[in-house]
Amino acid sequence: SMSYKSFTDLGLALNRLNIMWVVHTKNLDLYKNLTQEFCQEHPVSPTATFYELFNYGKTIYWQSAKRLEEMRKTRLIWPFLLETERHHPKLRVWEAVSIDADASQDLTGEPDYSISKEDFTPRPPYFVIVEAKQEDFSAGWGQALAGMKGAQLMNKNKISKEMTIYGAVTTGDEWQFGKLQNNQFVIYPKDGIKVLENDEKAKEVLFALRLFFLNVWII
């Protein structure tokens, strides 16, 4: 059967899942409303462990002949997820967990990372879906948005609650963030954040991830 991977680009996912992409250039007020939590002030002080892992990861990454997706996931992406998880002990990052919501809509499969409550096994509600993609953000968002929709449906079926789902797509170097509220979807910020540029960019990503984790407790 088909799965989240069949959503090969963002346009296709929006179309097939009947989701409205709220773009700042077309609907600024709604965009501002949907992204307001990203504008909270919440300074981040990364731990020494984060810098150690991330700097080591960068070294390995640059030395790799082929910058493979797996290399990005383990060396560049994982330090960010681990750092965020450590600040929020009630939440857990899971890798490649099946979120099989609705096979008739192809909403089955395993997002690269999903975040739910800290528990012995992963179970709904799921709050955040993270996809790692080589270079293609449109394909990444197609799959991430499908995964977010799957999580939204699964949560609704299991806990009878329509929940906001957050998402991220990253190449390891560059990160973009998204939010699915009912059938409205936003990507924030308008341009990706390139963490290999400098430490401030890395802090921006940690800040956004931490906001995801904080907001799931507000929901």
Side-chain angles (χ1 to χ4, degrees):
S1 70
M2 304 288 269
S3 70
Y4 299 123
K5 288 191 168 35
S6 70
F7 294 87
T8 47
D9 64 63
L10 178 56
L12 181 72
L14 292 162
N15 238 342
R16 270 168 60 186
L17 300 171
N18 195 24
I19 290 168
M20 173 190 171
W21 184 13
V22 179
V23 186
H24 66 283
T25 50
K26 291 183 186 156
N27 196 331
L28 187 58
D29 287 346
L30 183 54
Y31 181 84
K32 278 183 173 169
N33 186 36
L34 286 169
T35 57
Q36 61 187 346
E37 69 264 42
F38 291 103
C39 304
Q40 295 169 6
E41 277 302 310
H42 189 79
V44 176
S45 305
T47 60
T49 309
F50 166 76
Y51 284 122
E52 191 182 340
L53 281 175
F54 185 47
N55 289 331
Y56 179 68
K58 282 191 280 194
T59 307
I60 301 290
Y61 173 72
W62 291 124
Q63 288 170 353
S64 309
K66 287 182 182 168
R67 302 211 181 100
L68 303 169
E69 210 165 281
E70 285 308 313
M71 184 65 81
R72 294 161 190 269
K73 277 155 72 172
T74 55
R75 303 299 184 176
L76 296 181
I77 299 169
W78 182 242
F80 286 89
L81 299 177
L82 180 64
E83 179 77 359
T84 312
E85 183 185 69
R86 288 175 70 183
H87 276 88
H88 297 276
K90 290 183 178 162
L91 294 175
R92 180 64 41 90
V93 178
W94 306 93
E95 207 169 341
V97 165
S98 289
I99 298 183
D100 294 336
D102 184 351
S104 72
Q105 295 186 69
D106 299 331
L107 296 178
T108 63
E110 301 177 349
D112 289 327
Y113 300 99
S114 54
I115 291 156
S116 67
K117 287 181 180 176
E118 185 266 330
D119 208 337
F120 189 63
T121 59
R123 64 186 70 194
Y126 293 98
F127 307 113
V128 182
I129 303 298
V130 179
E131 283 291 336
K133 277 292 154 277
Q134 199 91 23
E135 293 297 347
D136 188 346
F137 272 94
S138 182
W141 274 120
Q143 289 179 33
L145 182 55
M148 290 161 77
K149 181 65 183 177
Q152 189 186 56
L153 277 180
M154 195 180 236
N155 291 351
K156 201 173 179 182
N157 292 340
K158 298 277 195 239
I159 60 168
S160 309
K161 209 171 173 189
E162 182 95 24
M163 297 179 71
T164 298
I165 306 290
Y166 294 93
V169 174
T170 175
T171 60
D173 169 8
E174 192 170 342
W175 289 70
Q176 284 184 343
F177 299 96
K179 175 183 173 183
L180 176 64
Q181 188 172 310
N182 301 315
N183 73 328
Q184 295 174 331
F185 171 67
V186 283
I187 292 176
Y188 186 91
K190 301 173 197 84
D191 303 305
I193 303 170
K194 295 192 168 173
V195 294
L196 298 183
E197 279 182 10
N198 57 54
D199 284 351
E200 285 310 307
K201 300 285 188 192
K203 282 185 188 174
E204 273 183 57
V205 166
L206 287 171
F207 171 66
L209 286 169
R210 200 166 296 180
L211 282 177
F212 284 0
F213 278 59
L214 285 171
N215 273 283
V216 300
W217 293 105
I218 295 165
I219 290 162

